Every structure is written in C-alpha cells, then in structure tokens.
Amino acid sequence: MVLPAVPQTTETAIEAPPDSPRRHVLLIGIALLVVLAAAGGLVYLQTRSDSSPDPKAAAAQAATALRGQDATSLKVSFFDQTGLDVTGDLTVTAGGTAQGTLTDAGGGKADFRAARADTAVRGDKAWWARRDAARVAALQGVWVRPKGLAFPVETAALQPDSLAGMIDWVRSGGTAATDVRTVAGQPVVGLRRGGWTFLFSSAEPHRLVWFGGAVQDRAPIAPLQPGKPINYRSSQLTPPTPPYVSALVNPPPENAEVADFPDAAVVEENATAKRPAFEVEVNATTCRTTTCTWSVTVTNTGTAAGKASVVASVSPGMTQTQVTSLGTLQPGAIATTATMSFRNPAPTNQDVSADYRAEVFTEQLHGPNLKVMRRLQEDGVVVGRSELLSGLDPSQLPTVLLALDAMRKAPHFDADKAVQAMEDTVTYGGLPEVGELIGSGRLENPEILYPKLQNLIFEYDTGAPGTPVHEKLGSRRQLQIAAAMLRQDPQARVALDGTEVVDGKKYRADVLVHSGRQTVAIQTKSVSSDSVSTNLQSAVKELQQGAPPGSSRAVWLYLEAPAGYPHAAARDYFDATFRKAGSDLCKRVDEVVVVNQSGVQRWTKQQLPGCG
C-alpha cells in the first residue's frame, strides 16, 4: 500500500530568551497531552527519526556524487507485457560507452557493447531465436550490429550525468516514499514523482540504490520500443501497462575499463544464411473429367543446394499425401514432378472446390520429420504456406513441426489458428521455451500448447486491483517455469494445467512435476504491482484446493519490473510479507519461490513462518 507522502516543511531556528516562557510552553504541552490521554484521544506527534535522513538531502548528495563518477554500474530490467523481459548488467562510462551482458527471462544471453549510437551484440542460440529466428546459425556466437534495438533502454540515459539529472528531476517535484524501508537488503529513503520512484541509501555517503517506473513520454526514460498490440479471443487489446524499467544501481566501479568496440561486427541485415529455400508452384486447372491431373514445379531460391521432396495432396480427392523426390537442386535450379492423378470427387453437373496442397521437404531444413509433415498436411496444416514459418532457421523449424504435430491432438483443433499461434510464438520471442518443452519429450500433455500458444504474452497480475480480465490471461511464465523444471531435473516430466483424478475427484495445478515417486504441484503468479501478499494468499488457496493428495505444494511468485522496488527486494522484504500471511503458512504450503532482479530466492517449509 502506498501511503500519503509526508509534506516537507522549512524549519527556521529561533533562539529562545533565557527566561521562563519556554518552560511555560513545555508545561502547557505536557498538560495538553495529559488531558487528551484522559479523554481517550491521545495524539502522537512524531518527527522523522534522526537515523533516517531527509530524502531530498540524500538525493542531492547522491546526484553530486554521480557527477563526479567516471562510470556507473547497473542491473537494468526492461519489461513489456507482450513478450520482452530482458535485464542488462551494464557498466556505462561518462563518455557514453557501455559494456555488459544482456539476459532474457527464460533463457538467452548476449555480450553487449555500445559506443554512443553504435551497438554490437554477441548472442547465443536462444538470444537470436527470440529476435531473428530466420538467421540463428549465421548470427549466434559472433559480434553483430543488430538491425533493431539490442537493449530497449538508451545507454546514454544511464551514464553518471544522466542519472544525476534524473535525481534533480525527482527532487524538484517529488514527495517522500514513506512506505519503503529497504531495497536489495539495505536501508533506504526515497522520492516519488510521476509514477517513478528513486531510492537512496540511508547510510552516508548517500548514493542512488534503485529507481524505476513506466517508460513513456515526459518520463525520465523515454520509450524506444513500444509494446505490441495483442489479440485475445478475437478482441484486440493494448498492453495493460506501458513498458517498465527497474534499475538496481551498484556502488561506483573502480577503474572501469572501456572495452574495445568490435568494429568488425557483422551487420545483421547483411548476414547470409547458407541454406536452400524452395518456391513451389502448383500446375492445375479446373477439372471436368473423371480423372484429374496436376503437377508441382519447384525452384531453389536459396543460397545452398538441397535435396528436395515434394509432399503433395488434394482435399478432397487425394487426401493421403504423396511424396515425390526431385533429387538435389542447386541454387537457381528448377524441377517439376511427374504428373499426379486422382479421381474427380465432384458429382455430375456440380462444382467442388479443391485445395491443392504442396510443399517441399528437405532434411537440411526440417530434420528427420517427413512423417510429421505428412500428418500435418493431411490435417490441413501446410507449413510451407506460411512465409514466416517456412523461412525459419534449420535450428528452429523442427520445433515448429513438432509443436504443430502435438497441437493437432487438441480438442476443437483448427489448422489456421494453430499456424497463427506458431507465427505469434516467433513474433513474441517464445520459440526457446517451446523448443525446450517439445524437444525434451517430457511434456506430458503437449496438446496443451494449442491454447497456450494462442495466449503467449506474460500473465496479468490477477491480484492487482483493476485487472482488466477475470481469468488468467497470458501463459508465458508458466511455460518458462515448466521448461526450467525440465532443465533442473533430467528425470522430471511436467504437465501444464496439470490434472490428476484421485478417488473420483479432479485436482489441478498450473504445473505438475513428476520425478520418480514425487509429485510437485506448482501454482504460479505474476506480480506487477504492490500485490505480493494478495498473490501469495491466492496461490496458497488454489493449491489447497487443487494440489493432488500426497503432492508437495509450491508457490512461484514472479516479480516483474512494474511491481516497483519489490522487483529488487531481498529476503528481508519477503520474510516480512510471509509473516503477515499467517503463522500457519508452512502448514499450507511446502515451498515458496520468488524470482526477481535479485535472482531465484527459495523458502523451504522450515524457513516459512510457523515451522522454524
């Protein structure tokens, strides 16, 4: 809860004369307090503790210190609801250069360099799968000048003088953040203005410890990458909040070295992916005879030779796929299949629309998944018709085929919706999570990806007042947590929205993890407001109702940048929150896991209130 700001007053010292009026005032004051106490209306007049400095004075000292620094060291998290959650561990010099590491939530890292307007990254496979899934092999592991924003916060805004200017801004019109006691485990005082909070160390010398707020016009940090509009159940929604920044400021680095900028970095748009690519043309005309015939012409428009096989079918008439090998086609080569035929399905004197389906399979792009492609096509899913999906890097395309094949078994499956869901997965940067889940073979209910991938934004904070929906909108964190479970335990199997029936009663949890004879029921909550306690209580209640008998019950709270300073809070903040939840918390849950800017923080049953 945000408390009203305490108004700042200006005090002027007036020396009292050496006679008795001061003593009379004191006696009057004591008498007044006695009267009020006797009347049951005791009023406490409390001033700020001497150990808690004036936040504006602390801010002024912190700004002065920053202007004398050669560099800043920060952990900066950027979050938007529609798919980007990235943290930069950065050192930014007064001269405008920056270096560090960028890390995506859910996996993916990149080394980062910036020299004013010029930036370069050296990202791993997952990093590029989220940003340029068509050229992962050509870009991973090398220095690249990205075509888009490597980091959606301008590094010039993070250099010492810029941070000092932000502090001046909050001092000039800010009010005290009286509800904040600690951040990252250390005592702080703070100021707020325009939805932004700046926190300073209580101990001298005062320094900036944390700041954060919404990235929008007229804010200390202007938007560079707006959130994408999203579609949910045929209704277009805008992101529920603007993008947010949460920045934990480290003590000033000593002897910060300026790393050389990789001048030989590859320009992303010029990176050439050496692989075949096939353009397909169906040769068919209106059929008015008993037997219909057609053929397929293929052109290799790629940059490498490829062994091509045409997977062909017609619905109705030739619903079972037919595979025709065209051999190896060099770049620019053209080949046509032999004529294929099928019995005309149209009744006499009637017209029937026929869907001629043809796409090219090659192991270089699709892996050993010919049977998968045939099954998909026979169910109406023709990946080759999607320019986005068919153009993916060979490291990503098998994930798409296997995910679509799993989704095919979902109730009320619709081929067009499935393809759109996979295109959204690429657009919103969700391929790494899906790849881990589907590639492991240990997702127990892979058909659940059909509804989940149609909703691949980060979850709404259902504990926050004014949440615009009455259901759990978004599936991204759930997928990330499930993938993390598989990484941590090579023997584990997971189920999303996992259900078990015991003695005729159905139990459900966000994630069920089975490892050996142990079952863990996980209830996940995204926290993007001051609703940590509300989300905790909600998750505990849901576990009490939904965890299967005999299972271990775990709550996962994912603190996001819009949550404000709790996004950088350490164990002391959450210990206090858990105590408020009740002394019997450990009797209702076996583990609480908090993920925030400080990392993954765990509380076992013995560490929770009531069991220590």
Side-chain angles (χ1 to χ4, degrees), residues 195-269:
W196 281 70
T197 302
F198 287 73
L199 302 178
F200 311 93
S201 60
S202 293
E204 292 196 31
H206 304 302
R207 68 175 187 86
L208 178 62
V209 175
W210 180 90
F211 66 91
V215 180
Q216 51 192 337
D217 291 336
R218 295 183 297 278
I221 295 180
L224 294 177
Q225 180 166 311
K228 307 181 186 73
I230 57 175
N231 289 301
Y232 180 66
R233 295 188 177 176
S234 302
S235 299
Q236 189 171 66
L237 304 171
T238 55
T241 62
Y244 267 75
V245 162
S246 169
L248 188 63
V249 184
N250 299 316
E254 295 182 4
N255 303 320
E257 296 182 2
V258 179
D260 292 335
F261 188 85
D263 293 323
V266 176
V267 176
E268 181 182 347
E269 294 175 306

Side-chain angles (χ1 to χ4, degrees), residues 239-531:
T241 62
Y244 267 75
V245 162
S246 169
L248 188 63
V249 184
N250 299 316
E254 295 182 4
N255 303 320
E257 296 182 2
V258 179
D260 292 335
F261 188 85
D263 293 323
V266 176
V267 176
E268 181 182 347
E269 294 175 306
N270 296 340
T272 303
K274 293 289 185 180
R275 64 171 183 267
F278 299 101
E279 185 178 278
V280 174
E281 181 181 357
V282 171
N283 307 311
T285 59
T286 301
C287 176
R288 301 190 182 280
T289 57
T290 303
T291 300
C292 303
T293 59
W294 65 300
S295 65
V296 177
T297 299
V298 174
T299 304
N300 185 351
T301 59
T303 55
K307 188 176 181 180
S309 295
V310 174
V311 182
S313 62
V314 184
S315 180
M318 184 180 151
T319 54
Q320 186 173 355
T321 54
Q322 179 175 321
V323 179
T324 302
S325 175
L326 297 178
T328 300
L329 299 184
Q330 298 295 326
I334 301 173
T336 301
T337 65
T339 299
M340 295 173 282
S341 62
F342 59 95
R343 184 176 179 81
N344 192 335
T348 304
N349 297 324
Q350 292 187 26
D351 292 336
V352 172
S353 297
D355 180 14
Y356 288 80
R357 303 167 179 169
E359 55 189 330
V360 173
F361 169 82
T362 176
E363 287 191 6
Q364 288 168 264
L365 299 178
H366 305 99
N369 296 309
L370 176 58
K371 290 182 180 179
V372 174
M373 185 177 281
R374 294 185 70 177
R375 283 197 300 266
L376 288 171
Q377 191 177 119
E378 288 169 1
D379 274 0
V381 182
V382 185
V383 175
R385 288 178 175 171
S386 168
E387 183 178 354
L388 177 63
L389 298 182
S390 60
L392 292 178
D393 189 83
S395 66
Q396 306 303 312
L397 195 47
T399 291
V400 170
L401 292 174
L402 293 173
L404 286 168
D405 191 46
M407 294 160 68
R408 194 173 50 86
K409 303 169 188 175
H412 313 297
F413 177 79
D414 181 279
D416 291 337
K417 288 183 179 179
V419 170
Q420 182 61 58
M422 287 310 308
E423 290 181 338
D424 288 346
T425 301
V426 175
T427 301
Y428 295 143
L431 276 177
E433 290 94 328
V434 176
E436 286 189 87
L437 291 170
I438 206 70
S440 70
R442 293 182 283 137
L443 177 60
E444 293 180 335
N445 55 342
E447 68 279 359
I448 197 70
L449 293 177
Y450 179 63
K452 293 296 179 186
L453 298 187
Q454 295 181 53
N455 193 14
L456 199 65
I457 63 168
F458 289 106
E459 286 86 334
Y460 278 61
D461 181 347
T462 55
T467 300
V469 289
H470 300 293
E471 57 190 293
K472 188 171 184 179
L473 177 60
S475 301
R476 188 67 169 273
R477 295 296 187 206
Q478 189 183 13
L479 297 182
Q480 289 180 351
I481 291 170
M485 295 297 100
L486 295 178
R487 286 196 300 270
Q488 291 173 15
D489 184 354
Q491 305 303 316
R493 302 181 65 84
V494 301
L496 297 169
D497 292 347
T499 60
E500 286 189 8
V501 178
V502 180
D503 296 332
K505 182 178 178 180
K506 181 182 287 188
Y507 297 87
R508 180 207 164 277
D510 285 343
V511 181
L512 283 181
V513 183
H514 299 106
S515 182
R517 295 183 179 181
Q518 183 184 22
T519 298
V520 179
I522 299 175
Q523 207 67 19
T524 71
K525 295 292 178 181
S526 289
V527 183
S528 55
S529 66
D530 57 350
S531 57

Side-chain angles (χ1 to χ4, degrees), residues 526-545:
S526 289
V527 183
S528 55
S529 66
D530 57 350
S531 57
V532 178
S533 180
T534 302
N535 277 290
L536 172 65
Q537 294 171 3
S538 175
V540 170
K541 182 179 179 180
E542 291 167 6
L543 278 175
Q544 287 182 292
Q545 298 172 348

Side-chain angles (χ1 to χ4, degrees), residues 53-67 163-164 166-172 189-191 198-201 206-208:
D54 176 72
K56 290 195 174 183
Q61 187 179 109
T64 299
L66 278 165
R67 289 191 169 93
L163 296 185
M166 292 185 198
I167 294 174
D168 292 341
W169 172 80
V170 76
R171 281 183 63 225
S172 67
V189 293
L191 294 170
F198 287 73
L199 302 178
F200 311 93
S201 60
H206 304 302
R207 68 175 187 86
L208 178 62

